[in-house]
Amino acid sequence: GDSVTQMEGPVTLSEEAFLTINCTYTATGYPSLFWYVQYPGEGLQLLLKATKADDKGSNKGFEATYRKETTSFHLEKGSVQVSDSAVYFCALSPNTDKLIFGTGTRLQVFP
Amino acid sequence: DAGVIQSPRHEVTEMGQEVTLRCKPISGHNSLFWYRQTMMRGLELLIYFNNNVPIDDSGMPEDRFSAKMPNASFSTLKIQPSEPRDSAVYFCASRSGTGGYEQYFGPGTRLTVT
């Protein structure tokens, strides 16, 4: 069945460091791909999305490219801030009602 | 535009009591989802509705859980009787019937059953 695999956390970085959180997926066809972010005590917020191969989603300095050949959708940011500390979820929709989420990756950024 | 609204934000109750969680989806959205999040099991889809009709309740853990959507702007998730293992954060999310497949989440209800 369809699934999403994320790198284990926590990811610990110093402020202004480069961030990569890996996400790979298994799906038939051409799913839509998403990154969600969850700040402490809050719900999940849509961070960015991509709906077809080679699309790049971007928002708030974060970006991810839909790579069909490697079935990946890695999240990157050039310079993280303390305020980016949160849990990040990769998700896919096989273009049906449901979203399939990864297990989440906790990011901790220290000043 | 207001996002998904959930109430209460926190609920503490004793084992055996009935608990009702409430959700108001984003206006104009026609799909509504109930999730549960715990450290052990992560994020689980419990049930979802399209146009107020339950489509898939296979994630509802047992008969103690029930959900209703009497109209397009309101849904409830009820646990009766509640048990300590039901302690979790319960999220409601909604999705538009047009456009993409992204869902928009509410702030959640943190339920503690003692």
Side-chain angles (χ1 to χ4, degrees):
Chain A
D2 298 339
S3 65
V4 175
T5 302
Q6 289 183 237
M7 62 189 290
E8 291 285 331
V11 173
T12 304
L13 295 173
S14 298
E15 208 165 24
E16 299 184 3
F18 185 87
L19 168 70
T20 300
I21 299 178
N22 290 338
C23 171
T24 57
Y25 67 90
T26 301
T28 55
Y30 296 88
S32 297
L33 301 174
F34 307 90
W35 277 101
Y36 281 81
V37 58
Q38 185 178 28
Y39 298 102
E42 298 185 13
L44 279 71
Q45 300 176 24
L46 178 65
L47 182 58
L48 53 84
K49 70 174 186 179
T51 58
K52 61 183 187 296
D54 300 325
D55 265 3
K56 177 184 284 189
S58 62
N59 186 23
K60 299 180 181 179
F62 292 89
E63 58 183 34
T65 302
Y66 189 142
R67 301 288 188 196
K68 181 71 174 174
E69 64 276 12
T70 55
T71 62
S72 64
F73 192 55
H74 303 322
L75 182 68
E76 296 181 335
K77 187 176 185 183
S79 176
V80 293
Q81 305 300 311
V82 172
S83 58
D84 294 325
S85 298
V87 179
Y88 293 81
F89 292 89
C90 185
L92 73 82
S93 171
N95 298 323
T96 63
D97 291 329
K98 293 183 180 180
L99 284 180
I100 297 167
F101 286 91
T103 53
T105 301
R106 182 175 299 279
L107 170 65
Q108 298 174 322
V109 181
F110 293 96
Chain B
D1 188 17
V4 175
I5 299 172
Q6 292 187 247
S7 64
R9 292 294 312 276
H10 302 274
E11 177 79 39
V12 179
T13 191
E14 292 183 348
M15 182 175 62
Q17 296 298 305
E18 177 181 298
V19 175
T20 299
L21 312 181
R22 297 173 175 80
C23 175
K24 177 179 169 56
I26 293 172
S27 177
H29 283 193
N30 66 350
S31 295
L32 184 140
F33 304 81
W34 282 101
Y35 291 88
R36 178 172 67 177
Q37 187 179 42
T38 62
M39 290 293 292
M40 291 296 294
R41 295 186 297 272
L43 196 62
E44 304 171 278
L45 176 65
L46 300 178
I47 185 172
Y48 77 94
F49 297 81
N50 279 349
N51 297 314
N52 313 336
V53 177
I55 302 300
D56 185 349
D57 65 355
S58 60
M60 296 286 262
E62 49 197 274
D63 292 345
R64 297 184 297 106
F65 286 69
S66 63
K68 294 181 180 180
M69 192 165 186
N71 57 61
S73 59
F74 184 66
S75 177
T76 59
L77 178 68
K78 185 178 293 186
I79 308 172
Q80 164 66 15
S82 58
E83 297 183 2
R85 59 194 168 119
D86 302 331
S87 297
V89 181
Y90 291 81
F91 290 106
C92 176
S94 69
R95 182 174 73 84
S96 171
T98 59
Y101 292 92
E102 59 269 26
Q103 297 174 18
Y104 295 88
F105 283 73
T109 296
R110 180 173 295 277
L111 173 64
T112 303
V113 183
T114 61

